[in-house]
């Protein structure tokens, strides 16, 4: 009997509570919602609460939570708000959130949403609704959630699209659904441009596979999230597909991720590209400058300014010697300065008579003559011999102006035309090729042209050049289309796992995988038979020096000898007194 009474009492008590509850006691509801929000904050911190709708916008609740709350009672904003990824969205009822600003939507795509359901709306349809909008972090509670502690959380890749959780169980309400995609499809395409993607056929399975620092990044991602990759070959209309076409397809939401670089030029917004993956410069590979001809070496080292300076020093020494010897300006004349016996011999590094009674000043001048002769003769001998041994090269091209004056043509592909135009470079001397033809021409190391190339692509060319007997091209860091080029991956605007992909990208780079793939890119290309280790450089020139190469040296020699001979003959024939003077 006592038991019965106790049970009845208990029943009465809980009935009273239930009655209390159905009274939609405001205070109680606030308490319970507060408890739920605190619980969610413990699960994962949020720094802002974004509330859509009016019914649950309770000021005292936000005060207790100590989290700033943004109230959107009309359900939509027409402004590009920048919410952090740590924002929790609270919807006071199903479809209270009617956000239409797509940029705000994009930023709030991966945020957690808590929806208070009213009436008998089924969780399935709610999950379906949000799933279609590609918003997947959804949990909902019914109005009476505090009675039973039930939370519904949407789930992807599962037979039932939601999970019924009990708050008391302590299971986490939101999970990272895209960490395991259970084999679902990632739609993609590749432009097969080396070294970013290096297509090869797997020997075992015969399948087409891809290596390279962009393709491997995506291969690893697919493996990490347990997805499968599907090449959307039917989207290719013409046989050749470029990164521009892929970026277009991505911006039309027909692909998820492109295995190529994203086109970043002339974009109104950067919604459909990823965070920058790699940075490099985008400059020109120019043919190695020509060597100077043997015959020109002699003229090249006879710089007029140096000759004039030597001549001035000669004259000064000559004047000083004459003055010091005679201690007067009387014997100073044009011919005695120019034909000064001591100076002439001294400057040609020949022995000359040293006057016996010479004072200190005269000795000092003789020393100067000796030094200048030593320096000038050794300088010219050293120049001549070293230049004959290793011919000097013409200056490198370092600007568009240098290039305009040179004999080279510039080869670019159709997409680089816009860059040149934006740099205000006239297209004279520029040949524009289709994307594939351009790649083929650049691969052939044609030294008629200079080619734009990124530092990353140049790496494979410079590796290939190591197999050549002479270097054919060089990469200029000061002659560029763009000093700071960004390689991003095209990804769909509303890709729900964008954050996971970008985090993956940075982790792979941080771990050193990317560097390794870049370093291996040339080897991989050789293995895939996409490049060769053949020597493409021209056969080495016959670089022996022949007599005709020294034409100018001999000419000068014979002119000098001839002049000496003339002087000698004059000396023999002329009146002796003149010479004695
Ligand atoms: C609900 O409870 C409040 C007190 O918490 C009371 O003032 C109100 O009259 C009740 N409403 C109904 C319909 O019972
Ligand atoms: C949000 O950021 C965008 C640029 O990313 C800017 O145009 C917009 O004005 C910002 N919104 C606010 C409210 O500051
Ligand atoms: C990956 O997805 C497949 C379904 O395609 C599933 O059978 C497998 O268990 C998943 N792997 C893991 C580690 O969950
Ligand atoms: C594809 O290549 C052919 C020949 O190389 C060219 O005529 C055509 O314009 C290219 N199509 C596209 C879309 O680039
Ligand atoms: C572009 O170059 C032309 C001459 O080549 C010059 O007249 C013009 O001012 C330049 N424009 C700009 C914006 O630099
Ligand atoms: C490699 O490619 C060349 C042409 O580019 C071809 O002649 C050769 O047969 C290929 N070698 C292999 C092993 O596929």
């Amino acid at each position: 009997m006592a038991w019965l009474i106790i049970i009845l009492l208990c029943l009465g008590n809980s009935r009273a509570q239930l009655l209390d509850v159905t009274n939609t006691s405001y205070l109680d509801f606030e308490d319970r919602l507060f408890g739920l929000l605190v619980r969610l904050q413990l699960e994962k911190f949020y720094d802002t609460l974004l509330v859509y709708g009016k019914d649950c916008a309770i000021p005292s609740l936000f005060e207790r939570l100590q989290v700033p709350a943004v109230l959107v009672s009309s359900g939509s904003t027409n402004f590009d708000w920048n919410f952090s990824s740590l924002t929790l969205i609270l919807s006071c009822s199903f479809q209270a959130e009617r956000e239409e600003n797509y940029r705000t939507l994009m930023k709030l795509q991966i945020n957690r949403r808590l929806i208070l359901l009213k009436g008998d709306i089924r969780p399935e349809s709610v999950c379906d609704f949000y799933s279609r909008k590609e918003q997947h972090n959804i949990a909902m509670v019914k109005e009476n959630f505090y009675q039973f502690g039930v939370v519904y959380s949407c789930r992807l890749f599962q037979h039932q699209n939601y999970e019924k959780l009990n708050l008391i169980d302590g299971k986490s309400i939101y999970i990272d659904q895209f960490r395991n995609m259970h084999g679902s499809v990632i739609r993609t395409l590749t432009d097969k441009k080396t070294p970013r993607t290096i297509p090869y056929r797997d020997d075992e399975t015969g399948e087409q596979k891809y290596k390279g620092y962009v393709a491997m990044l995506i291969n690893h991602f697919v493996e990490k999230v347990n997805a499968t990759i599907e090449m959307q070959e039917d989207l290719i209309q013409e046989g050749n597909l470029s990164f521009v076409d892929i970026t277009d397809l991505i911006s039309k939401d027909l692909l998820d991720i492109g295995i190529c670089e994203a086109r970043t030029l002339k974009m109104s917004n950067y919604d459909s590209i990823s965070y920058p993956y790699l940075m490099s410069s985008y400059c020109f590979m120019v043919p190695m400058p020509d060597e100077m001809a043997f015959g020109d070496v002699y003229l090249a080292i006879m710089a007029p300014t140096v000759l004039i300076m030597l001549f001035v020093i000669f004259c000064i020494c000559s004047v000083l010697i004459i003055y010091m010897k005679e201690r007067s300006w009387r014997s100073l004349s044009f011919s005695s300065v120019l034909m000064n016996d001591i100076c002439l011999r001294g400057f040609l590094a020949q022995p000359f008579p040293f006057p016996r009674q010479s004072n200190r000043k005269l000795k000092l001048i003789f020393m100067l003559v000796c030094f200048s002769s030593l320096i000038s003769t050794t300088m010219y001998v050293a120049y001549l011999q070293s230049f004959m041994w290793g011919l000097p090269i013409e200056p490198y091209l370092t600007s568009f102006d240098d290039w305009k004056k040179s004999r080279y043509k510039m080869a670019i592909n159709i997409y680089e035309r816009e860059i040149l135009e934006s740099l205000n470079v006239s297209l004279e001397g520029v040949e524009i090729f289709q994307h594939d033809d351009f790649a083929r021409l650049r691969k052939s190391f044609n030294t008629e042209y200079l080619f734009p190339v990124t530092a990353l692509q140049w790496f494979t060319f410079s590796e290939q050049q190591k197999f050549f007997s002479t270097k054919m091209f060089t990469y200029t860091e000061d002659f560029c289309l763009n000093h700071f080029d960004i390689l991003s991956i095209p990804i769909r605007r509303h890709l729900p796992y964008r954050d996971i992909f970008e985090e993956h990208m940075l982790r792979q780079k941080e771990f050193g995988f990317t560097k390794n793939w870049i370093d291996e890119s040339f080897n991989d290309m050789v293995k895939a038979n996409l490049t060769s280790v053949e020597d493409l450089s021209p056969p080495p020139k016959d670089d022996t020096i022949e007599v005709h190469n020294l034409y100018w040296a001999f000419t000068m020699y014979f002119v000098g000898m001839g002049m000496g001979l003339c002087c000698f003959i004059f000396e023999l024939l002329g009146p002796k007194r003149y010479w004695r003077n």
Side-chain angles (χ1 to χ4, degrees):
M1 201 58 189
W3 278 112
L4 194 65
I5 289 167
I6 290 172
I7 290 172
L8 280 176
L9 270 176
C10 282
L11 271 179
N13 210 349
S14 56
R15 228 184 119 70
Q17 266 182 6
L18 280 177
L19 279 175
D20 221 344
V21 158
T22 40
N23 177 0
T24 53
S25 151
Y26 223 60
L27 217 99
D28 227 8
F29 173 77
E30 184 190 322
D31 272 345
R32 299 298 182 125
L33 186 57
F34 175 73
L36 184 58
L37 290 174
V38 168
R39 157 83 195 265
L40 289 180
Q41 195 165 35
L42 284 179
E43 207 175 88
K44 189 181 162 206
F45 179 76
Y46 53 87
D47 62 2
T48 316
L49 196 62
L50 177 59
V51 185
Y52 283 102
K54 288 195 262 272
D55 309 350
C56 54
I58 313 161
S60 56
L61 178 71
F62 308 132
E63 258 166 44
R64 279 164 76 193
L65 267 176
Q66 298 217 316
V67 165
V70 180
L71 307 181
V72 189
S73 41
S74 66
S76 180
T77 55
N78 52 6
F79 199 71
D80 179 8
W81 292 106
N82 298 314
F83 291 106
S84 85
S85 60
L86 292 178
T87 302
L88 181 78
I89 300 165
L90 179 64
S91 268
C92 293
S93 64
F94 177 46
Q95 295 190 339
E97 179 190 347
R98 291 183 302 275
E99 187 61 68
E100 264 152 28
N101 185 320
Y102 99 88
R103 291 207 52 91
T104 306
L105 273 180
M106 231 180 108
K107 284 171 209 154
L108 293 177
Q109 189 180 4
I110 61 158
N111 288 61
R112 294 179 294 166
R113 286 177 163 74
L114 179 68
I115 293 144
L116 306 176
L117 292 185
K118 289 200 178 123
D120 52 349
I121 298 168
R122 284 177 308 131
E124 272 144 287
S125 55
V126 178
C127 287
D128 266 348
F129 174 78
Y130 280 100
S131 183
R132 248 175 278 128
K133 288 169 76 176
E134 294 202 272
Q135 291 160 343
H136 300 290
N137 270 334
I138 311 291
M140 57 213 124
V141 287
K142 295 205 165 160
E143 271 176 309
N144 59 356
F145 71 94
Y146 41 84
Q147 276 174 295
F148 310 109
V150 171
V151 179
Y152 302 92
S153 180
C154 292
R155 293 286 182 262
L156 268 173
F157 316 115
Q158 233 169 255
H159 177 60
Q160 196 180 19
N161 70 355
Y162 68 92
E163 202 168 350
K164 195 171 162 185
L165 299 166
N166 207 307
L167 282 175
I168 304 157
D169 287 351
K171 279 208 228 160
S172 64
I173 296 168
Y174 298 96
I175 58 166
D176 264 335
Q177 317 201 40
F178 290 96
R179 296 272 164 201
N180 186 352
M181 289 169 59
H182 292 275
S184 50
V185 164
I186 294 178
R187 298 167 302 161
T188 184
L189 268 178
T190 169
D191 64 347
K192 302 186 186 169
K193 280 285 167 291
T194 54
R196 294 182 287 267
T197 47
I198 302 170
Y200 70 102
R201 212 155 271 289
D202 192 344
D203 287 339
E204 281 170 26
T205 57
E207 276 175 82
Q208 173 88 31
K209 289 194 173 170
Y210 300 93
K211 275 188 187 167
Y213 49 82
V214 170
M216 286 305 283
L217 173 79
I218 288 158
N219 289 347
H220 277 194
F221 177 70
V222 167
E223 208 173 313
K224 174 178 171 171
V225 298
N226 195 18
T228 48
I229 215 156
E230 205 175 88
M231 292 284 170
Q232 307 287 304
E233 305 279 353
D234 50 328
L235 290 176
I236 311 175
Q237 279 144 7
E238 283 155 277
N240 31 14
L241 183 77
S242 73
F243 68 105
V244 175
D245 304 328
I246 295 181
T247 312
D248 280 349
L249 289 172
I250 293 264
S251 60
K252 287 181 201 149
D253 290 347
L254 292 169
L255 297 176
D256 293 322
I257 299 180
I259 309 183
C260 62
E261 75 171 315
R263 171 192 165 91
T264 45
L265 195 75
K266 289 208 173 166
M267 279 190 127
S268 55
N269 62 58
Y270 297 99
D271 295 342
S272 50
I273 64 174
S274 73
Y275 191 79
Y277 176 39
L278 289 167
M279 263 78 75
S280 70
S281 53
Y282 192 13
C283 302
F284 283 92
M285 55 188 255
V286 294
M288 287 301 281
D290 294 328
E291 283 180 345
M292 194 179 272
F294 273 124
D296 296 339
V297 170
Y298 188 81
L299 290 182
I301 64 180
M302 288 291 161
T305 44
V306 179
L307 287 179
I308 290 169
M309 269 168 63
L310 282 176
F311 180 72
V312 170
I313 296 172
F314 173 89
C315 291
I316 292 171
C317 288
S318 194
V319 169
L320 286 176
I321 288 170
I322 293 166
Y323 177 74
M324 290 291 167
K325 267 166 87 178
E326 312 282 323
R327 292 221 158 264
S328 79
W329 296 113
R330 249 180 299 129
S331 54
L332 207 63
S333 71
F334 189 65
S335 63
S336 67
V337 170
L338 282 191
M339 301 293 275
N340 189 295
D341 184 36
I342 296 175
C343 250
L344 207 55
R345 287 203 245 173
F347 267 79
L348 293 175
Q350 301 295 316
F352 56 86
F354 202 100
R356 233 175 251 156
Q357 294 92 25
S358 50
N359 55 19
R360 262 192 221 141
K361 287 177 191 153
L362 205 54
K363 279 183 186 154
L364 198 68
I365 293 167
F366 285 150
M367 296 270 280
L368 281 180
V369 172
C370 288
F371 269 117
S372 347
S373 75
L374 197 67
I375 287 170
S376 60
T377 46
T378 40
M379 179 181 80
Y380 280 114
V381 169
Y383 260 140
L384 194 62
Q385 288 183 348
S386 54
F387 280 2
M388 283 291 179
W389 184 80
L391 287 170
I393 51 176
E394 311 260 320
Y396 287 92
L397 301 185
T398 52
S399 66
F400 282 102
D401 292 334
D402 284 353
W403 161 68
K404 291 263 164 183
K405 285 180 218 132
S406 73
R407 65 181 172 85
Y408 303 109
K409 286 176 278 181
M410 182 185 289
I412 58 169
N413 71 36
I414 40 177
Y415 307 114
E416 280 150 352
R417 184 196 171 120
E418 291 167 7
I419 309 180
L420 281 187
E421 278 166 0
S422 68
L423 290 175
N424 199 17
V425 174
S426 82
L427 293 178
E428 207 180 311
V430 177
E431 285 187 27
I432 302 169
F433 292 90
Q434 284 293 333
H435 209 52
D436 291 332
D437 300 334
F438 172 75
R440 218 170 293 126
L441 184 68
R442 191 168 62 183
K443 242 169 61 175
S444 70
F445 283 84
N446 188 332
T447 48
E448 300 280 299
Y449 296 95
L450 40 99
F451 304 95
V453 69
T454 63
L456 288 168
Q457 288 167 314
W458 167 250
F459 177 76
T460 56
F461 291 115
S462 78
E463 287 294 300
Q464 190 176 1
Q465 271 200 140
K466 291 184 182 161
F467 293 90
F468 296 178
S469 57
T470 52
K471 250 174 101 173
M472 292 176 74
F473 275 86
T474 175
Y475 186 70
T476 54
E477 288 280 0
D478 12 51
F479 179 22
C480 296
L481 289 181
N482 189 356
H483 284 282
F484 182 66
D485 187 63
I486 289 175
L487 173 68
S488 293
I489 314 288
I491 56 179
R492 189 160 58 84
R493 187 175 296 149
H494 290 294
L495 197 71
Y497 42 89
R498 176 189 278 260
D499 56 326
I500 304 180
F501 178 72
E502 287 178 344
E503 186 199 320
H504 166 80
M505 189 166 85
L506 295 182
R507 286 212 186 287
Q508 300 272 295
K509 198 168 141 190
E510 180 185 56
F511 195 71
F513 273 126
T514 307
K515 170 138 195 347
N516 179 253
W517 293 326
I518 294 172
D519 290 347
E520 285 299 311
S521 51
F522 179 68
N523 287 347
D524 288 337
M525 277 166 73
V526 174
K527 277 185 217 147
N529 196 19
L530 290 170
T531 186
S532 68
V533 293
E534 216 178 293
D535 186 355
L536 297 175
S537 62
K541 273 188 300 197
D542 188 19
D543 57 354
T544 48
I545 302 173
E546 288 171 18
V547 173
H548 67 85
N549 294 142
L550 295 172
Y551 172 80
W552 279 106
F554 280 114
T555 311
M556 293 306 281
Y557 174 73
F558 285 120
V559 167
M561 287 297 275
M563 275 162 58
L565 199 66
C566 288
C567 291
F568 184 60
I569 291 167
F570 275 130
E571 202 169 341
L572 288 184
L573 297 182
K576 285 208 175 104
R577 209 179 325 126
Y578 176 80
W579 288 102
R580 204 168 293 135
N581 278 351

